[in-house]
Amino acid sequence: MKIWWIFLLSALPVLGGVQYVETMPPARHPELVYWFWHSNTLANAQYLRDVDNMASNSAYTMALLTERGVDFYDYDKMHEPFAQTVRAAHQHHLKVGLQLWEFWSPMQGRTADVTKAQLGLNVDQAQALVSEGEVVLDAAGHANYSVTCTNGRASRPFHSEALKVFAFRKTAEGYYAENSLMDITSSVKTTGS
């Protein structure tokens, strides 16, 4: 059985004793917030006050801008607010990410029948969603496995690939026999997108 320990209270050595802190600063990962941009976010540059508020009153270290009624594809309108937001965030040592919905954003009435070539995207510019699963091999060591993109809402991926595939002898739920783990990614045949 795996046991994960999470320490909520940290003791840091200081001159003359121990100093207790209520929270741990993020070590290798950001504290994320999804920042929904509505039309009122643009009114009177509210986004700049929002950045100040995040920097002063939260533990967030990265904000992901996501559209809710604002068309992020309206480049002429959105360029300056984005530029101002990034400048203000960086002054406060905050990171900013931009979540772009599909090119067929409902804001533009585009259709979902858009290919990756029409989008002009390559895999490095796309959001990656990783799915995993487990299947039992037959006596010949073969299996068919199908998985769909999870947490991708109704989106269909324009590219799919097997990242890693392992074979192992399972001994119990969550356990496998020592020295039985084999990387068989090179033996996998992927069909479909």
Side-chain angles (χ1 to χ4, degrees):
M1 171 187 285
K2 288 185 181 177
I3 299 175
W4 297 95
W5 293 96
I6 300 173
F7 295 95
L8 300 177
L9 183 64
S10 173
L12 302 174
V14 293
L15 192 58
V18 174
Q19 175 186 7
Y20 291 95
V21 296
E22 292 181 19
T23 61
M24 290 289 293
R28 294 175 45 192
H29 56 84
E31 293 290 326
L32 298 175
V33 61
Y34 272 90
W35 182 6
F36 297 151
W37 277 44
H38 299 270
S39 57
N40 62 348
T41 307
L42 295 175
N44 301 314
Q46 176 62 40
Y47 48 87
L48 294 176
R49 290 186 293 284
D50 290 345
V51 168
D52 288 338
N53 186 34
M54 277 184 261
S56 302
N57 301 312
S58 77
Y60 299 127
T61 59
M62 181 173 188
L64 291 173
L65 286 58
T66 181
E67 70 180 61
R68 295 296 190 274
V70 175
D71 184 5
F72 282 3
Y73 287 99
D74 185 345
Y75 306 115
D76 293 334
K77 179 179 179 181
M78 297 308 300
H79 180 271
E80 193 55 30
F82 287 158
Q84 291 175 0
T85 299
V86 169
R87 280 193 297 270
H90 287 181
Q91 287 174 351
H92 293 289
H93 306 288
L94 299 174
K95 296 176 183 170
V96 177
L98 181 63
Q99 180 183 36
L100 292 174
W101 296 104
E102 301 88 359
F103 181 74
W104 46 88
S105 163
M107 298 300 298
Q108 293 296 325
R110 300 176 181 112
T111 68
D113 297 325
V114 178
T115 66
K116 109 178 143 172
Q118 289 170 308
L119 285 172
L121 294 176
N122 64 47
V123 173
D124 294 334
Q125 296 170 312
Q127 180 181 29
L129 299 172
V130 178
S131 299
E132 66 175 342
E134 184 177 310
V135 64
V136 177
L137 301 176
D138 65 18
H142 298 102
N144 291 321
Y145 180 72
S146 177
V147 65
T148 58
C149 180
T150 59
N151 298 319
R153 301 194 181 185
S155 303
R156 290 187 317 257
F158 63 76
H159 174 80
S160 294
E161 65 181 283
L163 298 177
K164 283 287 185 181
V165 181
F166 296 96
F168 53 88
R169 190 170 53 80
K170 189 172 184 175
T171 58
E173 191 61 40
Y175 291 90
Y176 61 90
E178 190 175 344
N179 299 323
S180 71
L181 185 67
M182 295 185 311
D183 184 339
I184 60 168
T185 309
S186 61
S187 302
V188 172
K189 179 183 176 185
T190 306
T191 60
S193 62

